[in-house]
Amino acid sequence: MLLALALLPLAASAAVTPAPGKDCHLPGTEEALRCLRVDVPLNYKQAGATLSLHVAVAPALRESARRDPLFLLAGGPGEAGSDLVPLLNASFRKVRATRDIVLIDQRGTGLSGKLDCPSDEPNEETISEEKALADARDCIKSLNKPYADYTTEAAARDIDLVRKKLGYAQINLWGGSYGSRLAQTYARLFPEHVRAMVLDGVAAPDQIVPAGGRDAQAALDKLFQQCSENQPCARAFPALRSEFASIVAALNKAPLMLELPDPRTAEMRQVRMTSNRFLGTVHNILYSQADSRRLPFLIHSAYQNRWQPFIARSNVARDFAADAGPAMPLHLAVVCAEDYPRLTPALLAEDTRDSFLGKPQIERIGALCETMHVPAVPWTTPSKIEAPVLLMSGALDPVTPPRRAEAAKQYMTHAQHLIVSNGGHIVSQLGCGPRLLREFLDLPDKPVAAECLKEIPAPTFQLNSAGPQP
């Protein structure tokens, strides 16, 4: 049965009717896409209010496109499908030759009624964490939204209404990070409509999102080890571990007030470096294998009290556009209902033991969950997914390493797992990845020949202000 479904799209196909909607232009691409609005119930258990979802379709490049598109499911939770538009010409350029690519702004993100808390603080870098927490609570209350309706299951049901609206009988799914959880949820709710799935940076069904201390520390330890085994890096930063520990110990005692040039105005201003900001930036850097190779230099510079490079990297995550970035309240709506209720004191203690991500960083989410007032979503043992699945992991991923994909694989009948040794979080775009996506989707029951992934090199370390080594 599965083989028949896999071979069906290979038959000759007629020209495809253009997707409904109208031409639109989204940031990240110069070409016109097809955009439409799809109304969905706010609450699937009761009639009444609706939400308007923004959907964009990147039509297949060939006229004789196959009738099983690829739906892209963004991560976070809190990212929008439209945030993935820049990947159309990178990760998905091979797939798009013969398939439509569909991007949905998940309810509460992007152009689908984004739940947002933009800061009105002119000097975010100087406010205390207590003030930042109070501001977030005030925003959550002021939005006055039924956060209990913004669950992963509701988003999965939205996907099926979009599928119907676009007239597809079966679809393929690509889910990155949290998007992999959403994809798995959809596959279990609507198995008859799933042809195949690619899950990159796989969130296991039993994974508790805030509990990331163990995986983060493992990624940092691997980075330190790689630096020590790399002669130029080891020579430039011989005391990297102790320097990192010294910075953490100092910031745990008290925040550090720095006076640095403002990146926008060049005027001197104070910057408040706290333990949470420092460790949060380190964690963020570890997501990218290329970016992580800058971390030894950034740590060493900060240890020598030259904080400018570290502050500059910390500010990368702060986009100057007010509506940019993930939807924080949507993130909380999901995590506070589906993850945090399962975070027991014993699990928290085990996860943070000997990790640079300690209890304070994780418990901050709990402080905001008290304001969200969302009921816990009970966790149940997942049913088996019968559709073919390609799991992809980066060995250096600090949040969804290969062990998470292996845990998810236990609940899949036809799954194969590819690991990129020199990859971090999300690896579809690396090396031969785009070609492998196309090959898998064309023949999802056939093993993927992934030897080429071993050819993806490790980026060079940055040793000084001049940038990475040649």
Side-chain angles (χ1 to χ4, degrees):
M1 180 65 177
L2 288 172
L3 182 59
L5 290 175
L7 293 179
L8 182 60
L10 297 181
S13 55
V16 175
T17 303
K22 60 182 180 180
D23 287 353
C24 63
H25 289 83
L26 297 177
T29 181
E30 295 181 357
E31 66 176 304
L33 306 179
R34 297 289 291 176
C35 292
L36 65 152
R37 309 293 305 191
V38 178
D39 290 337
V40 299
L42 178 61
N43 186 317
Y44 278 91
K45 295 181 180 179
Q46 63 185 42
T50 61
L51 284 169
S52 177
L53 300 184
H54 180 271
V55 180
V57 180
L61 300 176
R62 297 179 186 173
E63 291 186 1
S64 56
R66 293 167 176 169
R67 289 300 296 164
D68 55 288
L70 180 65
F71 278 48
L72 305 186
L73 308 182
E79 292 181 334
S82 53
D83 293 333
L84 303 181
V85 165
L87 299 182
L88 290 176
N89 293 322
S91 304
F92 307 107
R93 63 183 183 273
K94 299 288 188 182
V95 173
R96 194 184 166 194
T98 55
R99 287 180 171 83
D100 293 347
I101 306 289
V102 180
L103 306 101
I104 305 172
D105 282 5
Q106 180 180 339
R107 57 169 60 200
T109 74
L111 300 173
S112 296
K114 182 177 182 180
L115 303 178
D116 201 10
C117 285
S119 175
D120 57 1
E121 284 285 342
N123 300 315
E124 280 188 80
E125 295 89 349
T126 61
I127 65 173
S128 68
E129 293 179 4
E130 293 75 13
K131 177 66 164 57
L133 184 63
D135 288 348
R137 284 172 170 160
D138 289 343
C139 174
I140 290 168
K141 294 175 183 177
S142 68
L143 291 177
N144 194 30
K145 296 291 184 179
Y147 295 116
D149 293 328
Y150 290 82
T151 61
T152 299
E153 180 177 330
R157 295 189 182 279
D158 292 345
I159 293 170
D160 205 56
L161 291 185
V162 172
R163 177 196 63 79
K164 292 178 182 177
K165 179 76 173 182
L166 295 174
Y168 300 120
Q170 279 199 317
I171 61 175
N172 304 288
L173 300 168
W174 179 93
S177 195
Y178 164 76
S180 69
R181 175 192 286 187
L182 179 54
Q184 292 172 77
T185 301
Y186 180 85
R188 292 186 169 100
L189 288 173
F190 305 100
E192 69 278 15
H193 297 307
V194 178
R195 178 180 173 274
M197 294 198 302
V198 178
L199 306 182
D200 190 345
V202 186
D206 63 346
Q207 184 171 352
I208 298 174
V209 170
R214 172 185 168 187
D215 294 332
Q217 186 62 47
L220 184 65
D221 286 340
K222 287 179 182 177
L223 178 68
F224 285 165
Q225 178 183 348
Q226 289 176 340
C227 180
S228 67
E229 295 172 351
N230 178 276
Q231 191 174 44
C233 188
R235 186 166 54 246
F237 314 117
L240 187 59
R241 288 181 182 271
S242 62
E243 290 177 356
F244 177 76
S246 177
I247 295 172
V248 173
L251 292 177
N252 282 339
K253 291 181 179 178
L256 184 63
M257 296 305 297
L258 308 169
E259 190 169 3
L260 300 170
D262 186 288
R264 283 154 280 190
T265 66
E267 295 180 0
M268 297 301 293
R269 63 181 297 179
Q270 284 196 326
V271 175
R272 192 171 189 266
M273 178 56 63
T274 65
S275 175
N276 279 335
R277 182 176 184 184
F278 176 75
L279 297 177
T281 301
V282 169
H283 192 211
N284 180 271
I285 291 173
L286 289 171
Y287 274 58
S288 165
Q289 168 64 343
D291 202 15
S292 69
R293 292 305 179 101
R294 302 172 57 197
L295 191 54
F297 166 72
L298 298 178
I299 291 172
H300 181 67
S301 298
Y303 176 76
Q304 294 185 319
N305 206 33
R306 292 188 292 108
W307 280 91
Q308 290 91 334
F310 191 91
I311 296 296
R313 175 53 186 82
S314 179
N315 287 339
V316 167
R318 300 166 182 260
D319 195 292
F320 299 157
D323 59 351
M328 184 270 285
L330 184 279
H331 179 93
L332 293 171
V334 173
V335 171
C336 293
E338 302 173 15
D339 296 87
Y340 206 79
R342 295 185 287 128
L343 185 61
T344 65
L347 191 153
L348 178 62
E350 174 63 26
D351 182 67
T352 57
R353 182 177 296 119
D354 300 323
S355 173
F356 73 90
L357 282 187
K359 292 181 181 180
Q361 286 77 39
I362 296 174
E363 289 175 334
R364 291 179 69 212
I365 295 179
L368 290 172
C369 286
E370 296 172 1
T371 308
M372 295 297 295
H373 297 300
V374 289
V377 174
W379 188 86
T380 58
T381 302
S383 59
K384 285 277 187 178
I385 292 176
E386 299 293 337
V389 184
L390 180 67
L391 305 169
M392 303 183 73
S393 301
L396 305 174
D397 190 336
V399 61
T400 51
R403 74 181 185 96
R404 300 296 192 179
E406 287 298 314
K409 188 178 178 182
Q410 298 177 22
Y411 302 101
M412 298 170 181
T413 304
H414 306 283
Q416 48 187 315
H417 185 196
L418 309 182
I419 301 175
V420 179
S421 299
N422 291 315
H425 188 60
I426 308 300
V427 296
S428 292
Q429 78 283 4
L430 300 179
C432 60
R435 174 172 60 81
L436 297 184
L437 296 186
R438 165 76 181 272
E439 292 178 1
F440 170 74
L441 291 174
D442 283 352
L443 292 169
D445 286 302
K446 182 180 179 180
V448 174
E451 289 296 311
C452 57
L453 294 177
K454 296 179 181 179
E455 300 173 3
I456 298 174
T460 57
F461 283 99
Q462 179 175 350
L463 303 181
N464 51 48
S465 299
Q469 303 174 68

